[in-house]
Amino acid sequence: MEVTTIGQFSLVYNVFSFTVATMAAATLFFWINRSQVAPEYRTAITITGLVTFIALYHYWRIFQSWGAAYDIDLVAGTISASTTYAYNEAYRYVDWLLTVPLLLIELILVMRLSKEETIKKGTTLALLAAAMIILGYPGEIATSDGQRWLWGILSMIPFLIIVYQLFVGLSKAIDAQPAEAKGLIKLARNLTVAAWFFYPVVYFLPLIVPLEGGTPKAIIEVGYSAADIVAKALFGVLIYQIAVRKSEAQGYQPQ
Amino acid sequence: MEVTTIGQFSLVYNVFSFTVATMAAATLFFWINRSQVAPEYRTAITITGLVTFIALYHYWRIFQSWGAAYDIDLVAGTISASTTYAYNEAYRYVDWLLTVPLLLIELILVMRLSKEETIKKGTTLALLAAAMIILGYPGEIATSDGQRWLWGILSMIPFLIIVYQLFVGLSKAIDAQPAEAKGLIKLARNLTVAAWFFYPVVYFLPLIVPLEGGTPKAIIEVGYSAADIVAKALFGVLIYQIAVRKSEAQGYQPQ
């Protein structure tokens, strides 16, 4: 799939630039403001910033790759795919392989469960997330529909286990959170699941409806970027707010 | 040895990008979270971050070098080695010459031996590591198999002395570590040795089996990257965990 008009190309190009700026700003916010939360929440905030930093790196590569992958003739008003440089779809998967396990770990860390539970739940969720991404990739680069269905469905198995873990496995731990933070933690959990449902929709879309012309490609790239901003930067702001509320509740005063 | 298909080229390219992102994230994590460990462990954490930072620099150079070393024609679907720019194999050795002695020093530092023992064991291991890398390089760039065997075997002498030192020379010191950290220190020691055995395997492989086509080159580059991620970033996380556990055990509270 490729975009076919300069307008589609420019829209995606500008959305990528917006995403780079958003991820950079989010990263700096988390790291600069890290001392506003009590020491026991700082590892969660460090990792929140790592997630947006890793996304910043990959969106920068995606942005550069997108610019190099098309040749534009402004006089004729035409656009064509480059013959020497392909848009690199793999950056998204490489990014997710690092960031999705870390996202789940930051949610577990900000809850401050017991050491055993933190290690157990953090490891389980991180490994499930890695399995989900690794199983999805062969389908993404497959040339046949059958292969895309197969790997997509396999990838949905760890996906659904993660959703189940977040809603059922974590419900007792969420209920035990202090009142000031409980609502925000539920919101962060629900936001994760809602943003995540966008990814399988995009993944299976080309199998269900015939996608022609450049519009679907533009929609997919803009959609993935929006979902990444919600699942990483906005989710990170919620994690930060949870850490601030819990720090205040236990009487922490930033120095 | 060169890769021969666009698929092999892209796989290695994406693994290099993944390694860059991993080393950058690891470096920032160690340095930002350095205040979470007691002051006497902070030099170990600074050096842990230096190792991944040096690897970040070299993987960035390796990544750029790899991209420049091949010419791709997407229309014909062909790839050929560039006639003006060779992939620079030396970056790995330059990296190891700096990082491998530092890796061993970070392991010694986190153990908090006596001052004399720290200096003695740190210096011995660092010099052995430097000798191992320096002796390996002439074999890596040699054009004859005899030369590769000769330097490879010479390089194995300090390698085996290091393994002996880690298992026998350090065993008394490891047994004297606090119970909270002993298991993790053994794991870090074993992980180092396990990851390190990958390097001589790759080094001697072309001498033992005839390597044809592009697959062996792709396997070697992916394998070196995976071994570096384990031996530097994952090893660093273990060193950080050891420092956190020992800090907690002695009653340190992050401010």
Side-chain angles (χ1 to χ4, degrees):
Chain A
M1 267 196 295
E2 279 154 11
V3 297
T4 49
T5 71
I6 295 176
Q8 291 159 352
F9 170 84
S10 299
L11 172 69
V12 173
Y13 188 88
N14 293 330
V15 167
F16 285 162
S17 181
F18 174 82
T19 311
V20 165
T22 306
M23 295 298 182
T27 305
L28 289 165
F29 176 78
F30 298 132
W31 287 345
I32 292 172
N33 251 28
R34 184 172 163 279
S35 61
Q36 297 294 105
V37 307
E40 53 267 48
Y41 299 108
R42 290 193 192 148
T43 302
I45 303 302
T46 303
I47 293 177
T48 303
L50 277 187
V51 167
T52 50
F53 170 79
I54 294 166
L56 162 63
Y57 167 77
H58 286 111
Y59 269 95
W60 180 254
R61 303 292 318 167
I62 287 170
F63 180 43
Q64 301 284 88
S65 179
W66 182 258
Y70 291 93
D71 294 323
I72 288 174
D73 184 335
L74 286 175
V75 177
T78 56
I79 184 168
S80 58
S82 159
T83 54
T84 54
Y85 195 89
Y87 175 59
N88 190 348
E89 314 263 2
Y91 285 132
R92 293 199 181 281
Y93 279 80
V94 179
D95 177 78
W96 294 333
L97 187 57
L98 284 166
T99 54
V100 179
L102 289 174
L103 275 173
L104 294 169
I105 289 171
E106 85 190 52
L107 181 63
I108 297 296
L109 281 178
V110 87
M111 290 174 68
R112 295 290 298 169
L113 310 175
S114 71
K115 192 166 279 181
E116 296 73 44
E117 270 204 302
T118 301
I119 292 171
K120 199 182 137 212
K121 289 198 191 291
T123 312
T124 309
L125 287 171
L127 290 177
L128 284 168
M132 170 177 83
I133 310 297
I134 290 168
L135 288 171
Y137 188 62
E140 185 72 55
I141 57 167
T143 44
S144 83
D145 278 12
Q147 291 276 314
R148 196 175 178 96
W149 276 116
L150 172 71
W151 293 106
I153 289 166
L154 287 177
S155 172
M156 286 304 282
I157 298 169
F159 177 86
L160 293 173
I161 301 174
I162 293 171
V163 172
Y164 175 82
Q165 283 289 330
L166 289 178
F167 275 94
V168 181
L170 279 184
S171 64
K172 213 184 276 180
I174 291 178
D175 284 336
Q177 292 290 310
E180 301 82 3
K182 203 185 290 184
L184 278 178
I185 289 181
K186 278 192 186 159
L187 182 59
R189 190 256 326 257
N190 297 350
L191 187 77
T192 308
V193 174
W196 284 23
F197 265 103
F198 185 80
Y199 301 99
V201 168
V202 172
Y203 191 96
F204 288 111
L205 201 65
L207 296 172
I208 295 161
V209 287
L211 300 176
E212 272 159 48
T215 308
K217 178 68 173 167
I219 290 173
I220 286 173
E221 294 300 336
V222 171
Y224 271 149
S225 305
D228 276 343
I229 288 173
V230 171
K232 294 181 169 90
L234 191 59
F235 176 76
V237 172
L238 284 178
I239 295 290
Y240 172 79
Q241 285 295 339
I242 293 164
V244 168
R245 294 244 184 123
K246 290 180 80 175
S247 300
E248 281 171 2
Q250 66 191 52
Y252 172 74
Q253 298 276 4
Q255 302 297 314
Chain B
M1 268 197 291
E2 279 154 10
V3 297
T4 49
T5 71
I6 295 177
Q8 291 159 354
F9 169 84
S10 299
L11 172 68
V12 173
Y13 186 87
N14 293 328
V15 167
F16 286 162
S17 180
F18 174 81
T19 310
V20 164
T22 305
M23 295 298 181
T27 304
L28 288 162
F29 177 80
F30 299 134
W31 288 345
I32 292 172
N33 252 28
R34 184 171 162 277
S35 61
Q36 298 292 106
V37 307
E40 52 267 45
Y41 299 106
R42 290 193 190 151
T43 303
I45 302 303
T46 304
I47 293 177
T48 303
L50 277 186
V51 166
T52 49
F53 173 77
I54 295 166
L56 160 64
Y57 168 76
H58 286 111
Y59 269 95
W60 181 254
R61 305 292 316 166
I62 287 170
F63 181 42
Q64 301 286 89
S65 177
W66 183 258
Y70 291 93
D71 294 322
I72 288 173
D73 183 335
L74 287 175
V75 178
T78 56
I79 182 169
S80 57
S82 159
T83 54
T84 53
Y85 194 90
Y87 175 58
N88 190 348
E89 315 263 2
Y91 286 133
R92 293 199 181 281
Y93 279 80
V94 181
D95 177 79
W96 293 335
L97 187 57
L98 283 165
T99 54
V100 179
L102 290 174
L103 274 175
L104 294 168
I105 289 170
E106 86 192 50
L107 181 62
I108 297 295
L109 282 178
V110 86
M111 290 174 67
R112 296 290 299 169
L113 310 175
S114 71
K115 194 164 278 180
E116 298 72 43
E117 269 203 302
T118 300
I119 293 171
K120 198 182 136 212
K121 289 199 191 290
T123 313
T124 311
L125 287 171
L127 289 176
L128 284 166
M132 170 178 83
I133 309 297
I134 291 168
L135 288 170
Y137 188 61
E140 185 74 56
I141 56 167
T143 46
S144 83
D145 278 11
Q147 292 273 314
R148 196 175 178 96
W149 277 115
L150 172 69
W151 292 107
I153 289 166
L154 287 176
S155 171
M156 285 303 283
I157 298 168
F159 177 86
L160 293 172
I161 301 173
I162 292 172
V163 172
Y164 177 83
Q165 283 288 330
L166 290 178
F167 274 94
V168 182
L170 279 184
S171 63
K172 214 183 277 181
I174 290 177
D175 284 335
Q177 292 290 310
E180 300 83 6
K182 202 185 291 182
L184 278 177
I185 289 182
K186 279 192 184 159
L187 182 59
R189 189 258 324 260
N190 297 351
L191 188 76
T192 308
V193 174
W196 284 24
F197 265 102
F198 185 81
Y199 301 99
V201 167
V202 173
Y203 190 96
F204 289 112
L205 202 65
L207 297 171
I208 295 161
V209 286
L211 300 177
E212 274 159 47
T215 308
K217 178 67 174 167
I219 291 172
I220 286 172
E221 295 299 337
V222 171
Y224 271 149
S225 305
D228 277 343
I229 287 173
V230 171
K232 295 181 169 87
L234 192 58
F235 176 76
V237 172
L238 284 178
I239 296 290
Y240 172 80
Q241 285 293 341
I242 292 164
V244 168
R245 294 246 182 120
K246 290 179 81 175
S247 301
E248 281 171 1
Q250 66 191 49
Y252 171 75
Q253 297 274 8
Q255 300 298 313

